[in-house]
Amino acid sequence: MQLEILTPGKTIFSGKVNILRVPGTKGPFTILRNHAPIISSLDSGEISLVTDKGVDKFFFITSGVVEVKKNKITLLAEKITEEQ
């Protein structure tokens, strides 16, 4: 799946991922390959992903929106920081 994580100022992440976990406003959920199309608002919390190379990455967002369509994921975040 192709993932783009964007803020108003810049692109935070752009690349292929196998798994994406996000803090939805109605509860956390996981996005895998061939996920049904969805648009969801996001609460503050942790975003975790596994790249196609098997690398785990973690971010913390304050709020945002995610859209999934045809294995393309766009995540728009108001503020985001990468966790080490």
Side-chain angles (χ1 to χ4, degrees):
M1 301 178 294
Q2 181 65 34
L3 171 63
E4 303 285 331
I5 300 178
L6 310 166
T7 66
K10 65 180 179 175
T11 299
I12 302 298
F13 178 88
S14 179
K16 295 198 180 294
V17 298
N18 293 331
I19 300 171
L20 175 66
R21 293 182 183 90
V22 295
T25 52
K26 298 208 181 218
F29 62 96
T30 301
I31 300 167
L32 300 170
R33 185 165 177 74
N34 298 321
H35 193 286
I38 187 173
I39 296 175
S40 177
S41 56
L42 302 174
D43 271 342
S44 63
E46 185 179 75
I47 294 172
S48 64
L49 62 92
V50 178
T51 68
D52 63 337
K53 308 254 192 267
V55 177
D56 294 319
K57 290 189 169 282
F58 301 92
F59 301 90
F60 186 85
I61 65 166
T62 57
S63 64
V65 176
V66 66
E67 177 185 35
V68 180
K69 187 175 180 183
K70 296 183 180 178
N71 290 317
K72 183 171 193 293
I73 306 164
T74 304
L75 192 150
L76 306 173
E78 188 171 326
K79 289 185 182 178
I80 188 168
T81 55
E82 186 168 1
E83 299 177 357
Q84 300 297 332

